[in-house]
Structures are given as structure tokens and as C-alpha cells.
């Protein structure tokens, strides 16, 4: 009996957790979209006197920081989506590299883990 790495109850628990993380990430994405729009508008206002604008560099810095965070949230969302897809097709909890089971303890720490602890150590 090697079909599943965990009990249906555990799987349901991970699915609920992943869905909650997904909702949370989407909420943050929406917030960032609003913030990015605000920054964009502020930049547009400043273009008239860009060269002499003391706020210029700060604005650019804030912009790139926000962009980096946004990329992180998008990546997280993609991870969560892949994990949910794996739950749907029954491959959740198995290592994408060697096919062994990923321990529940590891998934508890990182529900989107695609690799077992051994492969995670050796890959990249
Ligand atoms: Zn592995």
C-alpha cells in the first residue's frame, strides 16, 4: 500500500492550509497592486521636474523593493497552486525528484515542498 503518504484527514488539513495561504497571498497581491498604482501615479506627477526631484531616488528604491516583494508573492502563489494541483492528482507528498515520500513533519513546516529532505539538500 504505497498509494498515499498520509491519511485523508492529514491531506484535508494540508489542503485547507494551502487554500488559506493562497487566499492570503492573493490578498497581499491586491494590496500591492493598489500600492504600485499609488507609486506609479506619484511618479507620473513627479516626471515634470524629475531631475531636480529629491524624492526621485527614494521613489525608485521603493518601487524596486515593492517589485521584488510582488515577485515573491507571485512565486509563492505559483507554489501553492502547484501543491493544490498535486493534491488533486494524488501526487502530493511525494518527492518530485526521487518519488519517495516527503515526511509529514517537513510538509508541516513547508506545505509547498516538492522535494524530500535528501533531494532538497542535494539539488541546487
Ligand atoms: Zn527525493
Amino acid at each position: 500500500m504505497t498509494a498515499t503518504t498520509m491519511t485523508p484527514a492529514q491531506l484535508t488539513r494540508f489542503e485547507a492550509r494551502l487554500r488559506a495561504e493562497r487566499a492570503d497571498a492573493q490578498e497581499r497581491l491586491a494590496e500591492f497592486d493598489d500600492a504600485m498604482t499609488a507609486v506609479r501615479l506619484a511618479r507620473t506627477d513627479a516626471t515634470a521636474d524629475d531631475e531636480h526631484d529629491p524624492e526621485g531616488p527614494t521613489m525608485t528604491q521603493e518601487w524596486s523593493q515593492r517589485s521584488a516583494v510582488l515577485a515573491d508573492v507571485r512565486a509563492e502563489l505559483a507554489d501553492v497552486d502547484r501543491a493544490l494541483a498535486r493534491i488533486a492528482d494524488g501526487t502530493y507528498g511525494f518527492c518530485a525528484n526521487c518519488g519517495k515520500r516527503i515526511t509529514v513533519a517537513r510538509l508541516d513546516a513547508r506545505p509547498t515542498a516538492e522535494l524530500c529532505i535528501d533531494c532538497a539538500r542535494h539539488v541546487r
Side-chain angles (χ1 to χ4, degrees), residues 94-102 114-120:
F94 288 93
C95 177
N97 187 53
C98 70
K100 280 187 210 153
R101 295 171 186 193
I102 302 171
E114 292 181 356
L115 298 174
C116 70
I117 197 97
D118 289 335
C119 291

Side-chain angles (χ1 to χ4, degrees), residues 72-115:
D72 279 353
V73 177
R74 287 216 171 104
E76 191 187 320
L77 204 57
D79 280 350
V80 170
D81 276 345
R82 279 205 302 275
L84 285 169
R86 289 199 304 275
I87 287 179
D89 71 15
T91 59
Y92 182 77
F94 288 93
C95 177
N97 187 53
C98 70
K100 280 187 210 153
R101 295 171 186 193
I102 302 171
T103 62
V104 169
R106 175 164 164 73
L107 290 168
D108 257 332
R110 197 162 169 266
T112 57
E114 292 181 356
L115 298 174

Side-chain angles (χ1 to χ4, degrees), residues 41-53:
L41 289 174
R43 276 161 69 94
T44 308
D45 285 348
T47 8
D49 195 19
D50 217 359
E51 309 241 350
H52 309 283
D53 188 357

